[in-house]
Amino acid sequence: MKVIKKEDLDDFVDELIAKDEREVVGVKSKDSKYVFDKLGKAEELELEYDVTILPPKKYFMPQRETLVEYETREGIEMKAVNEVVPRIIIGIHPYDLESIKQMDKVFADSPEDGNYLEKREKSILIGVNMQQFSEWSFAGSMGTATIEDGYDLMLTDLGDRYAVEIGSSKGRELLEEGSLKIRDAEPEEIEEVEKIEENIQDEFEKELDFSPRNLPWLLAEEYGDEDFWEENAEDCYSCGTCNIVCPTCYCFDVQDFNDISLEEGERMRQWDGCMLEAFAEVAGGENFREERAERYRHRFMRKGRYLYNRFGDIACVGCGRCASQCVPDIADPTNIFNKLWSDKDE
Amino acid sequence: MKPEERPKVAFFDFAGCEGDQLQIANLEEKILDLLNIVEVVSFREVMTEHSDDYDVAFIEGSITDTHNEERLKEIRENAEVLVAIGACATIGGINSIRNVQNFEKVQDRVYGDKRDHYEAWEKAKPAKAVVEVDYEVHGCPIDRDEFLHVVQSLVMGREPHIPDHPVCVECKLNENVCAFERDEFCVGPVTRAGCDSCCVNEGTICWGCRGMIDNPNEEAHEEVLEEYGLTVEEVIKKFDLYFAWQKEVREDE
Ligand code: SF4
Ligand code: SF4
Ligand code: SF4
Ligand code: SF4
Ligand code: SF4
């Protein structure tokens, strides 16, 4: 572990912004909320934040992205496109780092998704331990409040200094770049970080009443309780917000857009979500999750069961974004999971 | 496309502000691309000539009297393809606010003491309430790119991509702070996306100009708005700026 003074970290970030050829992005405030965005200077960086509106996933899989450009002037000519902007991303919370680890598995699974993987490969992830907590987060219950790996560098606020844990050779190389004033952490500082990480676990207002390991079983058990799902989905708009803001949702929709010249066009992908009515519609117009309640149930099944069965991860990292941004307030996973848990013996 | 193969298109206006035709007249450099794939034979906004020989008719504005109705039916007969453009033509638009107001008062306000000379309907209707409509370009006013997309789709005989999900999808893709988190209210959760949530991006709210999605959860939205502190009258007002006609049709079903 290393230690750096806060003002020296600022200088380091300013130097990266000025000299590094990669784009430097980090957490910035937007009205009363936070977002990951390009940094103009280190001052804009907000490392004390609760949660960002969208997760950093947008840097590896942008909201909208061109996959193919085509021309039809003389026959059809296609060109695969991957617009990779190498980035240094500063200020990622542990739950988001965990979600990136999960997404790395998903996109590396065959068929490999080169557009994601290449962007991911060219990124540096600088994490930060949480100091503020969204009232909707339950990372403590999901084991994602702190993290051992998945970052290149990890910061912990120690008042006038940051402790810096090195997570990879990419992270180490970054520290060697530039004129960084850094030293080894002393035993008291290491102890302090450990104490902070221990205390973080108890900071969450929301929690799961049981171990998340029970989720795959519980969800299989309660899948057929139609009344339960219908009751809870009654106020659902099918607006997809809970999908779009989720760090472990990765569905997209692909469409061709012809230019008005009719001679060229682009194949684009855009984030999609299983809560949207058209999502499960197949050619011919049939929809195999036509009812709101079916779609509503499906999202919880995905988070707590289906992805576990496929990749071995509970695909909810407890960030609370879905819960906080759902307008009718019906998306909170702790609410649904805890209700199912207490209903299970009935 | 060879010039003589281009479909002939004509624009017609009914009760509306012509804001949509203005959007088209202002296409600037793209207007030339447009003219490569269609031949405009009638467009009052930019030309004086008029022809009744057209393949595609673009309808702007809502239908508010019998005279309108007959004229639209005639256009439908003449045209192979009929496209409604702008909220007035697709959902009744702003004009349909009067559908839920006292009709005599509306007449007084609009026509004053000349009101008896006008034989206006009590309710403003969109084109599809009167004739079959093949394509719709939503919005008040329409979005130029979406208009071009619909035109090139119809020229190529393809279905255009018109979203049937709420504005919230685009709003979240754009990472906006939700109106409800700014102590404001918004009808985005029941409104059809496709405008890239442009109003919320500018820091305001969605008023619903693209009309409701096909299967909106209005009951939930009314409840939610009330929960967030709006009175029943305010809720109704929120919904009726653009949705009056759509709501009535859904209630009748
Ligand atoms: S649960 Fe909430 S956020 Fe998700 S689709 Fe339904 S209304 Fe939207
Ligand atoms: S389901 Fe909700 S709480 Fe869980 S990871 Fe997704 S957005 Fe976060
Ligand atoms: S839809 Fe809006 S822009 Fe178009 S005519 Fe009506 S009021 Fe004007
Ligand atoms: S501001 Fe309106 S459109 Fe945007 S997410 Fe909130 S409710 Fe939806
Ligand atoms: S945000 Fe709402 S009011 Fe604004 S253009 Fe889109 S649909 Fe119309």
Side-chain angles (χ1 to χ4, degrees), chain A residues 268-287:
Chain A
M268 310 267 298
R269 76 168 159 195
Q270 176 174 312
W271 293 1
D272 199 355
C274 57
M275 298 297 276
L276 301 178
E277 193 167 350
F279 183 82
E281 222 168 70
V282 289
E286 201 196 333
N287 191 330

Side-chain angles (χ1 to χ4, degrees), chain A residues 42-256:
Chain A
E43 230 171 76
E44 296 168 356
L45 185 62
E46 301 267 2
L47 289 175
E48 271 181 63
Y49 72 100
D50 53 0
V51 65
T52 54
I53 301 177
L54 291 181
K57 171 184 78 180
K58 65 181 182 181
Y59 292 124
F60 318 128
M61 181 179 164
Q63 292 91 320
R64 300 182 181 89
E65 160 176 41
T66 304
L67 299 178
V68 173
E69 285 171 355
Y70 53 82
E71 270 182 35
T72 52
R73 274 180 206 95
E74 291 148 36
I76 300 179
E77 241 179 81
M78 309 254 251
K79 193 173 101 220
V81 179
N82 186 9
E83 204 183 300
V84 182
V85 179
R87 286 195 180 87
I88 301 171
I89 307 172
I90 310 177
I92 310 175
H93 277 164
Y95 52 80
D96 275 338
L97 288 165
E98 168 63 25
S99 72
I100 294 171
K101 277 169 67 179
Q102 296 190 4
M103 291 304 97
D104 288 352
K105 283 195 213 172
V106 169
F107 284 100
D109 196 47
S110 65
E112 278 190 7
D113 190 311
N115 277 54
Y116 174 97
L117 293 172
E118 203 181 326
K119 291 190 191 67
R120 173 69 186 84
E121 164 73 38
K122 298 257 164 65
S123 304
I124 292 216
L125 310 184
I126 304 183
V128 65
N129 265 320
M130 298 172 76
Q131 287 167 281
Q132 283 185 27
F133 303 85
S134 152
E135 58 180 305
W136 299 94
S137 175
F138 50 102
S141 304
M142 305 311 286
T144 57
T146 53
I147 197 162
E148 300 281 308
D149 56 5
Y151 50 79
D152 297 304
L153 294 173
M154 183 78 194
L155 307 172
T156 307
D157 192 320
L158 300 178
D160 57 347
R161 295 144 295 148
Y162 278 107
V164 186
E165 189 64 278
I166 298 172
S168 73
S169 54
K170 268 197 215 164
R172 180 182 45 85
E173 282 158 21
L174 188 74
L175 289 183
E176 284 161 3
E177 215 181 282
S179 45
L180 187 60
K181 297 192 195 95
I182 200 158
R183 60 169 169 82
D184 286 326
E186 290 163 14
E188 302 79 60
E189 287 167 325
I190 294 175
E191 205 177 309
E192 207 180 334
V193 171
E194 282 168 355
K195 193 90 211 134
I196 288 171
E197 292 192 332
E198 205 180 302
N199 290 339
I200 286 174
Q201 310 298 333
D202 305 320
E203 291 282 354
F204 299 90
E205 269 175 52
K206 298 262 179 194
E207 47 180 42
L208 215 55
D209 297 338
F210 56 96
S211 159
R213 288 191 174 154
N214 291 295
L215 280 169
W217 170 85
L218 179 67
L219 287 165
E221 199 68 9
E222 302 297 315
Y223 179 89
D225 189 349
E226 313 274 341
D227 292 345
F228 175 85
W229 298 108
E230 252 159 57
E231 224 169 86
N232 283 283
E234 205 167 86
D235 279 349
C236 177
Y237 292 126
S238 302
C239 73
T241 293
C242 51
N243 293 131
I244 286 173
V245 301
C246 178
T248 65
C249 270
Y250 56 83
C251 291
F252 54 82
D253 183 36
V254 178
Q255 286 181 338
D256 286 349

Side-chain angles (χ1 to χ4, degrees), chain B residues 191 195 198-199 206-210:
Chain B
T191 302
C195 55
C198 57
C199 302
C206 171
W207 286 275
C209 84
R210 293 175 57 86

Side-chain angles (χ1 to χ4, degrees), chain A residues 232-233 235-245 274-276 292 295-296 299-300 321-323 325-332, chain B residues 166 168 172 189 217 220:
Chain A
N232 283 283
D235 279 349
C236 177
Y237 292 126
S238 302
C239 73
T241 293
C242 51
N243 293 131
I244 286 173
V245 301
C274 57
M275 298 297 276
L276 301 178
R292 268 178 227 290
R295 297 193 291 275
Y296 182 86
R299 184 175 79 95
F300 291 105
R321 287 184 177 96
C322 56
Q325 297 187 56
C326 168
V327 173
D329 187 10
I330 54 165
D332 179 2
Chain B
C168 298
K172 294 279 70 109
N217 197 345

